[in-house]
Amino acid sequence: QVQLVESGGGLVQSGGSLRLSCAASRLTFSNYAMSWYRQAAGKERESVASITRAGGSTYYADSVKGRFTISRDNAKNTVYLQMNSLKPEDTAVYYCNVRVPGTGYWGQGTQVTVSS
């Protein structure tokens, strides 16, 4: 069973920064694109950023473009999300995701709270 473990969330003031990490195990990590999603209270889960297998291409939601950076270290089986210039509307639980043939896997999530 694939396991994804997120870390790095917390409470930060508006304008601050956080770096999220997602460590993957039981997966040939370098074979798969990785994604970050988030879900705010009372809202649907939404895609935030994605990165291709070798990290050559990235995707960002318009709401985070220019502020967030997704990266990966295939030697460490870890994907990161650097979040700068955080806003209160970025408050959510952030989840790591990988899609493998036939299914997808999620981590347990890490809470990010941005105070105004």
Side-chain angles (χ1 to χ4, degrees):
Q1 180 88 359
V2 172
Q3 188 173 22
L4 302 174
V5 179
E6 299 99 334
S7 61
L11 174 64
V12 63
Q13 289 188 333
S14 182
S17 298
L18 283 173
R19 189 194 195 202
L20 306 183
S21 299
C22 170
S25 58
R26 302 170 189 161
L27 176 76
T28 306
F29 185 74
S30 59
N31 283 359
Y32 299 99
M34 299 294 297
S35 299
W36 286 97
Y37 286 73
R38 67 185 181 187
Q39 187 167 18
K43 296 188 177 181
E44 292 187 356
R45 193 170 296 189
E46 62 176 356
S47 175
V48 174
S50 297
I51 188 166
T52 52
R53 293 176 295 176
S57 294
T58 55
Y59 154 84
Y60 297 96
D62 287 343
S63 58
V64 306
K65 206 170 290 184
R67 300 187 298 122
F68 290 11
T69 302
I70 188 171
S71 62
R72 65 190 296 160
D73 185 338
N74 285 347
K76 295 183 178 180
N77 286 5
T78 301
V79 61
Y80 304 98
L81 187 66
Q82 177 68 44
M83 305 185 296
N84 298 329
S85 303
L86 283 162
K87 305 175 181 180
E89 51 263 44
D90 295 317
T91 295
V93 178
Y94 284 71
Y95 297 91
C96 182
N97 172 266
V98 63
R99 294 181 182 177
V100 303
T103 190
Y105 294 92
W106 297 92
Q108 83 288 351
T110 185
Q111 175 71 46
V112 172
T113 303
V114 185
S115 63
S116 57

